[in-house]
C-alpha cells in the first residue's frame, strides 16, 4: 500500500489485503463522467449510512492498447487526483497484461474480494469482467450472495438518449468538441504534466509560453487554439493554449504550448494542470510573425471577455 498524504488517499495493488470495512466501486474509470458519478454517489450514501470507507478499482496502465491504438482520456495519476476530489479513500489498481487478461471471472473476484473487508459493491448494469468479459452483473449477484456482500447495480446514465461512455467522450475530444465533452465529465477535460523547455522562439518573438511534458498513453484533443485555465498550486489562471504544430514558425512538432495571462513566474520543472474550456479556432499559418502575434492578441482579448 502507498499512502498519498497530499491527496489523502491510499493506493493498493488490487489483490492486496485491507481489513477496514468498505464499499467498492467497480469499473475502468478511464475518465470520470456523470455515469460514474452515480456509482460514487451511491457509495457515498452507503458509506454514510454504514460507516464504510469508499474504494474503487481501476487499471494503472492502458488496457485499450492491448486491442487497439486508443489512448486514455485520463492517465492513472490524473485519475488519482479526481478520485481524491470525490473523497475516495482507497484505490485498488491492477496492471493489465497477459496474466490479467487470462483471469477467469471467479479468480478476478476472489483476488479482489477475499482478502478485504468488502461490505458492498457498486457497479453499472453493463459491468463485465474476467476472461473474454465472461463475468457480468448476473454472475456478480450470485457471487455476492454466496459471500454475504451487498450489491448495488446502477442504471446507465443517458445523454440525448444515448449511453454516456468513455468511448463517446474520447471521440468528442478527438473531434474538438470540448464543450460537449465537458458537459459529460465531472470536471473539464485537462492535461497535467511537468513544465519543460521549449525552443524559445515564441517566448522571444511573440508571447512567453510554457510547454508541458505529456504521458504518451493520453489522448490529445483536436489540434487548435483553446481557451484554458492553467492550475498552479491550486490557483487557476486564464490562458490561451495551442495544441499541435506552429506552422508560422516552421515548427511541425506536436505539443501543448500555453500563454498564461498575467503570470510571469518561472514554472520550469513544476507540475501544472491545463483545463480545456472552449475551442477558439483552428491552427493557421500566417505570412509573418507580426500577423501571428496580432492574432494571438485577438485570442487573448477574446478570452478576457469570457
Amino acid at each position: 500500500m502507498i499512502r498519498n498524504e497530499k491527496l489523502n488517499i491510499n493506493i493498493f495493488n488490487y489483490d492486496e489485503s485491507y481489513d477496514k470495512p468498505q464499499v467498492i466501486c467497480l469499473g475502468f474509470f478511464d475518465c470520470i463522467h456523470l455515469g460514474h458519478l452515480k456509482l460514487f454517489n451511491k457509495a457515498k450514501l452507503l458509506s454514510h449510512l454504514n460507516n464504510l470507507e469508499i474504494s474503487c478499482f481501476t487499471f494503472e496502465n492502458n488496457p485499450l492498447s492491448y486491442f487497439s491504438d486508443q489512448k486514455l482520456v485520463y492517465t492513472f495519476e490524473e485519475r488519482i487526483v479526481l478520485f481524491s476530489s470525490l473523497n475516495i479513500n482507497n484505490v485498488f489498481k491492477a496492471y493489465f497484461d497477459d496474466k490479467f487478461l487470462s483471469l477467469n471471472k471467479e479468480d478476478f473476484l476472489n483476488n479482489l474480494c477475499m482478502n478485504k473487508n468488502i461490505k458492498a459493491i457498486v457497479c453499472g448494469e453493463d459491468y463485465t469482467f474476467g476472461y473474454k468479459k465472461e463475468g457480468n452483473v448476473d454472475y456478480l449477484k450470485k457471487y455476492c450472495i454466496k459471500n454475504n456482500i451487498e450489491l448495488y447495480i446502477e442504471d446507465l446514465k443517458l445523454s440525448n438518449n444515448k449511453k454516456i461512455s468513455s468511448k463517446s467522450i474520447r471521440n468528442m475530444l478527438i473531434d474538438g468538441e470540448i464543450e460537449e465533452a465537458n458537459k459529460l465529465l465531472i470536471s473539464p477535460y485537462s492535461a497535467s504534466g511537468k513544465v519543460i523547455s521549449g525552443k524559445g522562439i515564441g517566448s522571444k518573438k511573440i508571447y512567453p509560453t510554457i510547454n508541458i511534458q505529456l504521458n504518451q498513453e493520453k489522448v490529445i484533443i483536436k489540434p487548435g487554439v483553446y481557451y484554458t485555465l492553467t492550475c498552479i498550486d491550486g490557483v487557476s489562471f486564464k490562458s490561451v493554449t495551442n495544441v499541435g504544430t506552429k506552422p508560422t514558425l516552421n515548427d511541425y512538432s506536436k505539443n501543448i504550448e500555453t500563454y498564461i495571462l498575467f503570470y510571469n513566474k518561472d514554472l520550469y520543472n513544476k507540475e501544472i494542470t491545463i483545463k480545456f474550456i472552449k475551442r477558439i479556432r483552428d491552427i493557421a499559418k500566417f505570412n509573418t510573425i507580426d500577423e501571428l502575434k496580432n492574432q494571438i492578441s485577438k485570442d487573448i482579448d477574446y478570452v478576457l471577455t469570457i
Side-chain angles (χ1 to χ4, degrees):
M1 185 266 283
I2 298 173
R3 172 71 177 172
N4 188 319
E5 294 292 349
K6 181 179 179 181
L7 296 176
N8 194 31
I9 196 168
N10 300 316
I11 303 170
F12 298 82
N13 291 323
Y14 92 106
D15 54 359
E16 276 189 75
S17 300
Y18 190 59
D19 60 2
K20 291 191 176 180
Q22 60 189 289
V23 50
I24 188 167
C25 297
L26 298 183
F28 173 20
F29 306 118
D30 172 15
C31 64
I32 303 179
H33 53 61
L34 299 182
H36 296 144
L37 189 60
K38 287 184 66 177
L39 307 186
F40 291 119
N41 283 341
K42 172 64 79 173
K44 286 181 180 181
L45 177 61
L46 295 170
S47 169
H48 175 72
L49 294 176
N50 301 291
N51 194 27
L52 304 175
E53 290 192 357
I54 304 173
S55 304
C56 69
F57 170 86
T58 191
F59 292 101
E60 63 178 304
N61 62 331
N62 181 11
L64 303 172
S65 64
Y66 257 68
F67 311 105
S68 67
D69 60 352
Q70 290 186 75
K71 305 288 187 178
L72 296 168
V73 176
Y74 284 127
T75 66
F76 176 71
E77 292 75 17
E78 290 170 335
R79 272 174 275 151
I80 293 297
V81 174
L82 289 171
F83 290 143
S84 173
S85 73
L86 291 169
N87 296 316
I88 305 301
N89 304 110
N90 312 298
V91 173
F92 291 93
K93 63 182 177 69
Y95 191 88
F96 195 93
D97 55 14
D98 290 336
K99 181 180 178 181
F100 187 91
L101 184 62
S102 65
L103 278 177
N104 63 44
K105 55 189 177 184
E106 184 176 14
D107 286 343
F108 166 72
L109 290 177
N110 284 339
N111 287 346
L112 181 69
C113 299
M114 296 306 288
N115 52 0
K116 301 176 186 67
N117 193 4
I118 294 177
K119 299 298 186 182
I121 290 174
V122 183
C123 67
E125 64 179 76
D126 61 343
Y127 180 64
T128 58
F129 54 94
Y131 181 65
K132 292 186 177 180
K133 299 182 178 180
E134 61 185 2
N136 54 28
V137 293
D138 290 330
Y139 179 81
L140 189 55
K141 287 177 186 176
K142 297 174 185 176
Y143 184 92
C144 287
I145 292 171
K146 179 180 176 182
N147 292 280
N148 197 28
I149 298 172
E150 295 289 333
L151 176 63
Y152 298 86
I153 301 170
E154 293 296 305
D155 295 336
L156 298 178
K157 180 77 172 178
L158 303 179
S159 175
N160 297 323
N161 294 318
K162 294 181 180 179
K163 168 190 168 184
I164 299 175
S165 68
S166 298
K167 181 179 179 181
S168 62
I169 292 170
R170 187 182 299 108
N171 290 336
M172 289 176 187
L173 296 172
I174 292 171
D175 292 338
E177 299 170 3
I178 187 64
E179 292 176 89
E180 293 304 308
N182 284 343
K183 290 176 183 177
L184 305 180
L185 293 166
I186 68 163
S187 179
Y189 169 80
S190 63
S192 300
K194 184 176 291 186
V195 176
I196 58 175
S197 298
K199 296 183 178 179
I201 299 173
S203 296
K204 293 176 182 177
K205 297 184 177 180
I206 311 173
Y207 283 94
T209 58
I210 59 169
N211 297 266
I212 63 170
Q213 187 175 40
L214 288 177
N215 188 312
Q216 295 301 307
E217 289 189 334
K218 184 177 177 68
V219 67
I220 304 302
I221 59 178
K222 183 178 180 178
V225 178
Y226 291 82
Y227 161 45
T228 56
L229 295 174
T230 298
C231 304
I232 306 165
D233 295 330
V235 180
S236 296
F237 298 86
K238 282 189 172 184
S239 48
V240 177
T241 300
N242 187 90
V243 177
T245 62
K246 297 181 283 293
T248 306
L249 304 176
N250 293 316
D251 182 357
Y252 293 93
S253 60
K254 295 180 180 179
N255 59 11
I256 292 181
E257 188 172 15
T258 298
Y259 170 67
I260 307 172
L261 279 64
F262 312 118
Y263 191 93
N264 58 7
K265 295 181 180 178
D266 182 16
L267 293 173
Y268 180 68
N269 259 346
K270 194 172 189 65
E271 290 281 345
I272 66 168
T273 297
I274 300 172
K275 294 183 177 181
F276 290 79
I277 308 301
K278 184 180 180 67
R279 195 169 191 271
I280 301 175
R281 61 177 174 86
D282 290 332
I283 291 175
K285 182 168 184 175
F286 296 90
N287 294 319
T288 65
I289 288 180
D290 284 342
E291 286 183 13
L292 171 59
K293 189 172 182 178
N294 182 56
Q295 178 58 57
I296 295 175
S297 296
K298 292 179 181 178
D299 297 336
I300 294 169
D301 289 341
Y302 174 74
V303 164
L304 288 172
T305 68
I306 300 176

